[in-house]
RNA sequence: GCGCCCUUAGCUCAGUGGUAGAGCACUGCAUUCACAUUGCAGGUGUCGCAGGUUCAAAUCCUGCAGGGCGCACCA
């Protein structure tokens, strides 16, 4: 090959589109089409991005890391499946579309009706999805588009209904009146994990309550408080007996109060006495449950006071609070006021201040023993009784699932320790409808029953319910498909550490309960990508770097390398233009290495073995190459992709180009060494292209094609073998 | 309150028992010869502080200081 055929510089933009097309047309993204069918399967389920948005740096990060794992496995001869998909992201998507409709048409979802809103949301979701999919391609993602899944498509809906039915049958899903997190803004319940705590400065009031002084930051909930709770060992209140009744003057006149003694009281806090509002506080609810106390609703679903508030009925909390305090002050019941800082619960998606409410909802019971009929998990026998909590703890504690970096296992266990039953029903319209039908006293779960008079539950399921099934719903479950047999459990779950609880833990829960297995062997967690000002990169910030712009400016390979270079798993990283630029230079360096080698080596044989060295420089570079191959392979097996990337970078630029390539110039002039030098140049280039391919797939494939031709798909670099170290 | 992490060259960060590393930035020199998206040569550092273990500690242990995060929470 003559040098004139290779331009002086690598032009990423002109190479990338054509190369992706060749990869896609080769069919090799689909494991069924790979040249070798005898390898072990290797599977990654892509974390499905929300259909709400466009690609941001976080997506670029996971697409890069997963593609590295996938391309490496494919070159190792494994039957490699990377299954892509998108998530309907129920609350997030509906909220976005509702907001748009409200802004443009001044209409609410109730003006449109359920059917019309869903039509609009689905329309938006589809359009958004196609954008995201094209952006994934731009990142070079070698995923199997023929198996593309969507959490709300027909196959996944079947899986959801079947999962609900089975869990219900096992007694793990129940319906009950329990205290839940109510988002007055989104008009729906949310799970504990969808809460974000925010610091709030407020006033802490001390009120006279008969002979007691009680403290509160929420006077507006106090109307119904007819129980005063103290610690059984508190000497200050020893004179009052549990169950003793007293008449006390309160907000709207005298009421009968009952003394309750309970260990949950912190004697050190406030006065050591408090009144409870079981309808609007989890802790109070638990106390009321223990003693069989009455519960009464004070605040409605829109955050307004109910009839019990008397003259304050219908007022919003913010309006009522100062007025209530004023009235108590006038009655001489305010003892003192303090500045107070506490954390208030807000809804992650809407920002609404969460109001606990007792509601009839669907839950997954995490402490309920059930019989796991079929278990493939070591240490758990088929037919064994176990709780979901125990199951989730077991698989990680006993190493059946490995978390990388392992320090996140602590977070995982801590989360499980604090885990309460998971509220899975939502009062929004977009999502999987709760698959339950009612008729009279009858209830049918899972499939729509035949016959008249059945009505379906109006609620939808938490989006993480369907996401939790992802590793096997994507493979056709509940059918016993060949895919399910071959590719499950998956090998690696690669995602951001932010969603360890939201998603990773839920997959472990669902897979354990429904398949008696683990969803994956390894969880690899990456950190957040921040910009140079340390702000978290997200789609909501228009000024932050758009991956597509960066690709246009520097090339996909440069962006990929910059994302993972010098970045350790689980640690947040900063993506700077300087770093990407440096990696663009590296791509160009590789290009020119190839340009030099091709100019000096008449033919390249990719099947040639290790060439014989003739000089010290020959021996040194071959030894270094061998060392690099061995160390990189170990790094990749151990998920140290940042180390592997640095090694190959170091070898290509500073060992091969700076040292050997310079030495080769005089060696090529000497007839005694010219032959072996050519062989070594060719050999090193061949190995470097292979080693770099998972990291920089485009430039390596482009060069490979220039060397070996582009006529035969079987000659694509993506399906060539990963180099083996000689020792 | 419980738990986790970070503190290394000007900046951003790797490294986690055996004489300190990368990228970018910086200084000087070179340059028709693969590449200026370059090369060579250079400062680049009490590896947060104080103890301890060890023949040997940036690396392990203890304490302290500063920064960040997760979970929970007291009305």
């Amino acid at each position: 090959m003559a040098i004139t055929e290779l331009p002086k510089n690598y032009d990423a933009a002109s190479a990338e589109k054509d190369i992706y097309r060749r990869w896609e047309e080769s069919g090799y993204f689909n494991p069924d089409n790979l040249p070798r069918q005898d390898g072990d399967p290797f599977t990654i389920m892509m974390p499905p991005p929300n259909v709400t948005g466009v690609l941001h740096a976080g997506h670029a990060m996971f697409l890069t890391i997963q593609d590295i794992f996938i391309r490496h496995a494919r070159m190792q001869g494994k039957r490699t499946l990377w299954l892509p998909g998108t998530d309907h992201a129920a609350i997030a998507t509906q909220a976005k579309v509702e907001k748009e409709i409200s802004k443009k048409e001044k209409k609410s979802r109730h003006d449109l009706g359920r059917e019309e809103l869903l039509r609009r949301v689905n329309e938006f979701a589809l359009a958004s999805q196609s954008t995201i999919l094209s952006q994934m391609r731009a990142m070079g993602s070698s995923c199997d588009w023929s198996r593309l899944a969507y959490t709300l498509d027909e196959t996944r809906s079947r899986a959801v209904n079947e999962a609900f039915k089975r869990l219900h049958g096992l007694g793990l899903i129940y319906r009950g009146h329990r205290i839940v997190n109510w988002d007055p803004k989104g008009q729906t319940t949310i799970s504990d994990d969808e809460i974000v705590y925010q610091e709030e400065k407020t006033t802490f009031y001390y009120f006279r309550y008969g002979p007691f002084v009680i403290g509160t930051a929420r006077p507006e909930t106090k109307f119904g408080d007819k129980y005063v709770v103290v610690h059984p060992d508190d000497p200050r209140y020893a004179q009052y007996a549990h169950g003793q009744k007293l008449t006390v003057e309160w907000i709207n006149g005298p009421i009968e109060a009952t003394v309750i003694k309970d260990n949950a009281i912190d004697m050190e806090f406030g006065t050591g006495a408090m009144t409870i509002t079981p309808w609007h506080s989890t802790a109070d609810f638990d106390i009321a449950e223990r003693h069989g106390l009455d519960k009464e609703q004070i605040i409605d679903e829109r955050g307004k006071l109910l009839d019990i508030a008397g003259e304050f009925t219908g007022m919003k909390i913010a309006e009522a609070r100062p007025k209530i305090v004023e009235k108590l002050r006038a009655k001489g019941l305010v003892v003192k006021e303090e500045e107070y800082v506490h954390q208030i619960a807000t809804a992650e998606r809407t920002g609404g201040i969460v109001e606990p409410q007792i509601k009839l909802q669907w839950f997954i019971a995490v402490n309920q023993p059930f019989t796991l009929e079929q278990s493939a998990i070591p240490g758990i026998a088929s037919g064994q009784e176990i709780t979901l909590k125990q199951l989730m703890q077991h698989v990680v504690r006993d190493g059946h699932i490995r978390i990388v970096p392992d320090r996140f296992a602590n977070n995982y266990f801590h989360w499980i320790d604090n885990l309460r039953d998971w509220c899975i029903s939502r009062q929004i319209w977009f999502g999987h409808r709760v698959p339950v039908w009612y008729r009279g006293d009858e209830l049918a779960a899972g499939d729509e029953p035949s016959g008249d008079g059945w009505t379906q539950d109006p609620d939808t399921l938490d989006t993480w319910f369907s996401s939790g099934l992802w590793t096997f719903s994507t493979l056709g479950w509940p059918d016993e498909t060949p895919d399910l047999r071959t590719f499950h459990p998956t090998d690696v779950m690669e995602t951001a550490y932010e969603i360890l609880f939201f998603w990773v833990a839920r997959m472990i829960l669902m897979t354990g309960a429904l398949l008696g297995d683990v969803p994956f062997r390894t969880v690899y967690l990456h950190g957040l990508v921040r910009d140079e000002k340390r702000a978290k990169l997200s789609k909501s910030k228009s000024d932050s770097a758009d991956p597509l712009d960066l690709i246009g400016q520097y090339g996909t390979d440069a962006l990929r390398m910059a994302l993972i270079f010098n970045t350790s798993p689980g640690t947040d990283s900063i993506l700077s233009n300087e770093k990407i630029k440096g990696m663009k230079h590296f791509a160009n360096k590789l290009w020119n290495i190839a340009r030099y080698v091709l100019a000096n080596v008449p033919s390249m044989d990719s099947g040639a073995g290790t060439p014989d060295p003739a000089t010290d420089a020959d021996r040194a570079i071959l030894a270094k190459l061998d060392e690099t191959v061995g160390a990189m392979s170990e790094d990749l097996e151990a998920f140290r992709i940042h180390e592997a990337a640095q090694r190959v970078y170091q070898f290509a630029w500073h060992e091969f180009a700076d040292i050997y390539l310079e030495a080769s110039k005089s060696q090529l002039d000497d007839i005694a060494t010219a032959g072996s030098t050519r062989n070594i140049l060719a050999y090193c280039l061949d190995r470097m292209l292979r080693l770099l391919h998972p990291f920089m797939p485009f430039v390596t494939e482009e060069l490979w094609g220039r060397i070996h031709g582009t006529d035969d798909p079987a000659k694509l670099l993506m399906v060539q073998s990963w180099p083996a170290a000689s020792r």
Side-chain angles (χ1 to χ4, degrees):
Chain A
M1 174 171 279
I3 190 165
T4 49
E5 291 184 33
L6 222 52
K8 220 170 156 179
N9 296 115
Y10 172 54
D11 180 3
S14 70
E16 287 177 5
K17 262 218 165 72
D18 187 50
I19 288 171
Y20 196 87
R21 186 185 51 74
R22 278 167 52 211
W23 286 334
E24 208 171 347
E25 285 173 5
S26 76
Y28 293 144
F29 290 172
N30 181 338
D32 301 335
N33 299 331
L34 286 170
R36 279 182 58 185
Q37 287 294 312
D38 57 336
D40 292 335
F42 181 87
T43 315
I44 294 178
M45 294 302 167
M46 181 188 293
N50 293 355
V51 284
T52 46
V54 295
L55 201 77
H56 62 261
H59 296 127
M61 176 65 98
F62 86 62
L63 290 167
T64 300
I65 296 172
Q66 286 167 41
D67 199 44
I68 289 168
F69 291 152
I70 285 291
R71 285 182 186 272
H72 175 239
R74 193 182 288 120
M75 291 178 77
Q76 286 179 306
K78 294 179 181 169
R79 269 187 298 163
T80 304
L81 172 61
W82 187 17
L83 196 151
T86 50
D87 194 303
H88 67 285
I91 291 180
T93 309
Q94 181 176 321
K96 185 157 184 155
V97 174
E98 275 191 84
K99 200 173 165 185
E100 228 162 82
I101 292 172
S102 158
K103 198 174 155 191
K104 286 184 187 157
E105 304 172 34
K106 310 274 182 236
K107 283 180 182 170
S108 77
R109 66 164 145 152
H110 298 284
D111 297 329
L112 295 177
R114 187 165 191 144
E115 202 175 317
E116 174 63 11
L117 181 86
L118 288 182
R119 197 190 61 75
R120 301 275 198 103
V121 176
N122 279 316
E123 189 179 70
F124 169 80
L126 274 175
S128 184
Q129 184 186 43
S130 71
T131 308
I132 290 166
L133 298 184
S134 71
Q135 289 170 328
M136 287 180 189
R137 286 179 166 88
M139 283 302 295
S141 313
S142 60
C143 43
D144 181 3
W145 299 109
S146 73
R147 285 177 168 87
L148 179 69
Y150 174 45
T151 50
L152 204 55
D153 63 22
E154 208 180 311
T155 311
R156 264 46 68 176
S157 296
R158 269 187 66 216
V160 164
N161 289 357
E162 183 65 22
F164 191 98
K165 182 181 170 181
R166 291 196 195 179
L167 294 172
H168 187 257
L170 288 167
L172 293 175
I173 288 184
Y174 68 93
R175 189 178 188 226
H177 287 278
R178 292 178 50 95
I179 196 149
V180 294
N181 307 305
W182 178 258
D183 171 12
K185 207 166 173 182
Q187 287 292 299
T188 180
T189 55
I190 57 173
S191 69
D192 293 345
D193 298 285
E194 288 166 289
I195 285 177
V196 178
Y197 288 95
Q198 288 181 356
E199 202 173 276
E200 186 199 50
K201 282 182 189 152
T202 185
T203 308
F204 193 78
Y205 301 96
Y206 290 88
F207 298 140
R208 189 166 305 288
Y209 187 82
F212 302 93
V213 173
I214 57 127
T216 185
R218 298 203 58 191
E220 70 277 8
T221 65
K222 296 282 131 188
F223 293 101
D225 288 13
K226 54 187 183 185
Y227 302 103
V228 58
V229 190
V230 296
H231 197 281
D233 301 335
D234 196 328
R236 290 171 293 182
Y237 306 112
Q239 55 183 299
Y240 302 99
H242 177 78
Q244 188 176 339
K245 293 187 189 309
L246 307 156
T247 301
V248 303
E249 182 58 28
W250 199 224
I251 309 171
N252 290 332
I255 59 162
E256 185 179 71
T258 306
V259 176
I260 299 295
K261 300 214 169 181
D262 192 283
N263 289 319
I265 295 295
D266 178 359
M267 287 188 273
E268 307 294 315
F269 188 83
T271 59
M274 72 172 196
T275 60
I276 57 168
T277 316
W279 200 281
H280 299 290
S281 157
T282 309
D284 295 3
F285 178 87
D286 291 343
I287 293 170
E289 286 283 282
R290 274 199 288 279
H291 302 284
L293 310 180
D294 296 340
K295 309 179 188 86
E296 206 165 354
Q297 187 173 10
I298 316 296
I299 298 163
D300 75 3
E301 278 73 6
R302 301 206 168 267
K304 289 182 179 168
L305 289 165
L306 291 164
D307 291 348
I308 192 172
E311 65 194 87
F312 303 101
T313 301
M315 284 188 197
K316 290 221 150 203
I317 290 166
E319 182 194 354
R321 188 180 292 182
K323 292 185 176 168
I324 294 164
V325 172
E326 212 35 62
K327 183 167 183 190
L328 284 164
R329 200 191 314 278
K331 296 178 81 163
L333 295 177
V334 177
V335 178
K336 68 175 167 171
E337 297 170 34
E338 286 174 355
E339 290 288 294
Y340 185 56
V341 177
H342 69 155
Q343 306 281 95
I344 56 164
T346 63
E348 185 197 26
R349 289 295 175 187
T350 64
I353 295 173
V354 169
E355 184 67 65
Q357 296 271 7
I358 296 174
K359 295 189 83 73
L360 181 60
Q361 296 292 314
W362 289 96
F363 296 88
I364 289 185
V366 293
N367 290 308
Q368 172 72 35
F370 69 103
T371 303
L372 193 64
E373 285 190 13
Q374 292 291 324
S375 172
I377 303 166
I380 299 175
S382 295
Q384 187 178 327
E385 267 216 341
I386 193 166
T387 68
L388 288 172
K389 259 195 189 185
Q390 290 166 342
L391 198 157
M392 293 166 83
Q393 286 163 332
H394 172 84
V395 293
V396 175
R397 196 187 322 104
D398 280 23
H400 308 305
I401 295 175
R402 176 185 168 201
I403 299 180
V404 178
D406 58 9
R407 63 183 142 91
F408 283 98
N410 288 323
N411 289 13
Y412 175 82
F413 289 124
H414 193 242
W415 178 80
I416 292 177
D417 289 342
N418 289 300
L419 186 61
R420 294 180 301 173
D421 286 358
W422 170 19
C423 178
I424 52 171
S425 42
R426 298 287 179 275
Q427 289 68 54
I428 58 168
W429 292 343
F430 184 55
H432 295 282
R433 194 87 173 257
V434 172
V436 170
W437 286 260
Y438 309 96
R439 183 172 72 177
D441 291 335
E442 295 175 280
L443 182 155
D447 307 305
E448 183 168 6
S450 55
D452 295 332
W454 291 95
T455 47
Q456 189 173 2
D457 196 298
D459 287 354
T460 52
L461 290 167
D462 182 1
T463 195
W464 299 103
F465 186 98
S466 54
S467 311
L469 313 174
W470 189 243
T471 58
F472 52 91
S473 69
T474 47
L475 296 172
W477 187 90
D479 293 338
E480 286 285 333
T481 61
D483 268 10
L484 190 62
R485 280 194 296 275
T486 306
F487 298 110
H488 199 275
T490 66
D491 290 86
V492 182
M493 174 48 60
E494 198 285 328
T495 190
Y497 66 74
E498 295 186 280
I499 53 178
L500 179 61
F501 309 138
F502 277 119
W503 191 42
V504 177
R506 263 68 182 263
M507 284 189 283
I508 295 173
L509 181 158
M510 289 292 194
T511 313
L514 293 165
L515 301 185
D517 209 340
V518 294
F520 30 69
R521 307 291 183 197
T522 300
V523 178
Y524 180 101
L525 298 169
H526 65 256
L528 307 178
V529 184
R530 297 170 187 280
D531 63 21
E532 282 153 283
K533 292 169 206 143
R534 296 208 149 269
K536 181 181 163 184
L537 290 177
S538 78
K539 54 208 175 285
S540 58
K541 287 184 198 152
S542 51
D543 59 329
S544 67
D546 173 358
L548 290 185
D549 288 349
L550 297 171
I551 287 171
Q553 211 174 335
Y554 303 105
T556 303
D557 291 331
L559 175 60
R560 289 169 59 118
M561 273 297 262
L563 281 164
I564 58 114
F565 204 81
N566 225 2
T567 304
S568 57
T571 305
D572 297 351
S573 60
I574 291 176
L575 182 63
S576 67
N577 282 29
E578 284 65 37
K579 194 171 179 184
I580 310 172
K581 194 167 131 191
M583 293 304 158
K584 182 188 178 184
H585 294 175
F586 178 59
N588 190 61
K589 189 73 183 180
L590 184 69
W591 183 264
N592 275 286
I593 287 170
R595 196 162 169 254
Y596 172 85
V597 174
L598 295 181
N600 289 288
V601 181
S603 74
M604 298 270 293
D605 177 4
S606 67
T610 312
D612 292 324
T615 67
D616 285 348
D618 291 352
R619 277 182 286 276
I621 196 65
L622 289 173
K624 196 74 201 175
L625 174 62
D626 204 50
E627 183 193 319
T628 303
V629 170
M632 269 187 85
S633 300
E634 278 177 30
D635 287 337
L636 288 170
E637 294 299 330
F639 303 102
R640 295 186 299 254
I641 52 172
H642 60 302
E643 295 273 322
Q646 284 187 64
R647 278 184 211 284
V648 68
Y649 179 102
Q650 190 66 21
F651 176 81
W653 200 319
H654 300 301
E655 302 289 344
F656 185 75
D658 287 351
I659 298 172
Y660 188 74
L661 194 145
E662 293 304 322
S664 77
K665 289 174 182 172
S666 60
Q667 290 190 182
L668 286 170
D669 289 340
D670 184 341
I671 199 149
T673 54
S676 56
T677 301
R678 280 192 198 97
N679 289 341
I680 290 169
L681 287 172
Y683 180 75
C684 285
L685 176 61
D686 178 277
R687 290 303 184 266
M688 279 189 289
L689 293 177
R690 292 169 196 256
L691 293 174
L692 273 163
H693 181 71
F695 303 90
M696 309 181 84
F698 286 106
V699 65
T700 51
E701 190 72 79
E702 174 68 17
L703 287 168
W704 193 266
R706 301 234 181 197
I707 295 165
H708 299 288
T710 56
D711 49 320
D712 181 2
K715 286 186 183 169
L716 282 166
L717 177 55
M718 71 178 283
V719 289
Q720 302 310 308
S721 64
W722 182 256
S726 65
R727 53 177 178 271

